[in-house]
Amino acid sequence: MQASVLTEVLLPLALAFVMFGMGLTLTLADFARLIKAPKAVVSGFIGQIILLPLLALGLCIAFGVPDYIAVGVMVLAACPGGTTSNLISHIAKANLALSVSLTAISTIACVFTTPFIIQFALNYFVKENAPEFSIIQTVIGLVGISIFPVIIGMTIRHFISAFAMKTENFFRQFSMYFMLLMIIGVLVSEKDNLATSFESAFLVCLALNLLSVLLGLVLAKFSALAFKDSLTLAIEIGVQNAALAMLICITFLDAPDYAIAPGVYGIAMYIGPALLALWAKRKARNEKHLVSLQKTESV
């Protein structure tokens, strides 16, 4: 997939549009909330920014995946959660406010940490013919397609809140369809590489998803967080912005084969949160049943 209007203009604009939609859902109160819940924020930040990339690195080495799969997994692990994690938190009845706040802070942080993780992945896994990569240009590009649109969206939310709330559902749907189309496009364009590496890509992506969800629960346990906050951390760490990862691979690295792993993860990443939601639902039902029995016995 050579550089074109699609890869150089349309895809970045579409992702900026998605990030603008996320900005419409954010308020300054979301950032203020970070101060009120320091344990959850610190745990989520450490899990997302530090431990998740280390987990991805360990899995890539353990599975012995091809270099283009390994770099794609590392790019994915370096990306924030995005609006998908917020949607899953809402469905799973987790702490949606905390989810939105963690997504906001991780989006800002990843703009500056992601380029360094990508550079490390290229140096470590790609021995020959590594794509040209500039940390500075990538930081500038990520600011342009993520931070600026989010700020514009937040500004509109502050001054024209009715418009922001009215269009929130549209942008959420656009985000989902955009990621779906990117996944289909990448998997179709890279069908030859996919045919030879799908099994290894799927296994490492599934392992990353399940273990990252578990990582979130463990961090929450160590931080003595409430159950809803534990669910939120598990979802935030286990669900990454696959669309952003694919865009980085296609546009910034000009290496669409690297986008195979994020594309596969875009499908696999729902497995861990789905199991988590089922477990949470069963736990809530058992607790409700226990409370009912205690009331019966007391009577």
Side-chain angles (χ1 to χ4, degrees), residues 155-283:
T155 302
I156 293 177
R157 172 63 181 258
H158 181 74
F159 291 103
I160 319 176
S161 59
F163 168 80
M165 289 185 285
K166 185 177 181 179
T167 58
E168 182 177 332
N169 188 54
F170 164 78
F171 281 101
R172 182 180 291 117
Q173 292 185 12
F174 179 84
S175 176
M176 297 296 294
Y177 287 126
F178 173 64
M179 186 177 71
L180 180 61
L181 288 174
M182 283 199 70
I183 291 173
I184 294 173
V186 166
L187 298 185
V188 169
S189 66
E190 296 297 319
K191 58 181 180 297
D192 293 335
N193 285 328
L194 181 65
T196 60
S197 59
F198 177 80
E199 183 177 354
S200 61
F202 182 78
L203 289 176
V204 73
C205 286
L206 179 60
L208 179 63
N209 179 244
L210 295 177
L211 291 178
S212 59
V213 167
L214 181 61
L215 173 63
L217 292 175
V218 171
L219 286 172
K221 183 70 174 180
F222 279 132
S223 302
L225 299 181
F227 182 66
K228 291 184 69 172
D229 292 348
S230 300
L231 289 179
T232 307
L233 245 65
I235 293 170
E236 281 296 314
I237 298 175
V239 177
Q240 305 311 114
N241 192 335
L244 176 59
M246 286 185 282
L247 178 75
I248 290 173
C249 294
I250 294 170
T251 301
F252 293 176
L253 296 175
D254 192 22
D257 53 336
Y258 290 1
I260 290 176
V264 172
Y265 192 86
I267 301 171
M269 71 179 180
Y270 296 100
I271 297 176
L275 295 174
L276 183 69
L278 290 174
W279 172 69
K281 186 176 182 180
R282 182 176 181 180
K283 180 180 174 66

Side-chain angles (χ1 to χ4, degrees), residues 19-87:
M19 300 305 291
F20 167 75
M22 188 176 82
L24 290 176
T25 68
L26 297 175
T27 66
L28 292 177
D30 295 318
F31 291 92
R33 192 179 296 113
L34 302 177
I35 302 175
K36 298 177 182 178
K39 289 195 298 183
V41 172
V42 171
S43 297
F45 190 84
I46 291 174
Q48 182 116 38
I49 306 299
I50 300 175
L51 299 182
L52 182 60
L54 290 176
L55 174 61
L57 175 63
L59 288 174
C60 289
I61 296 173
F63 279 86
V65 294
D67 57 356
Y68 60 92
I69 297 296
V71 174
V73 170
M74 293 301 295
V75 171
L76 175 78
C79 290
T83 55
T84 303
S85 63
N86 304 151
L87 178 60

Side-chain angles (χ1 to χ4, degrees), residues 19 22 80-82 102-112 146-147 150:
M19 300 305 291
M22 188 176 82
L102 287 173
T103 296
I105 192 64
S106 66
T107 297
I108 295 174
C110 285
V111 165
F112 304 101
S146 59
I147 301 300
V150 167

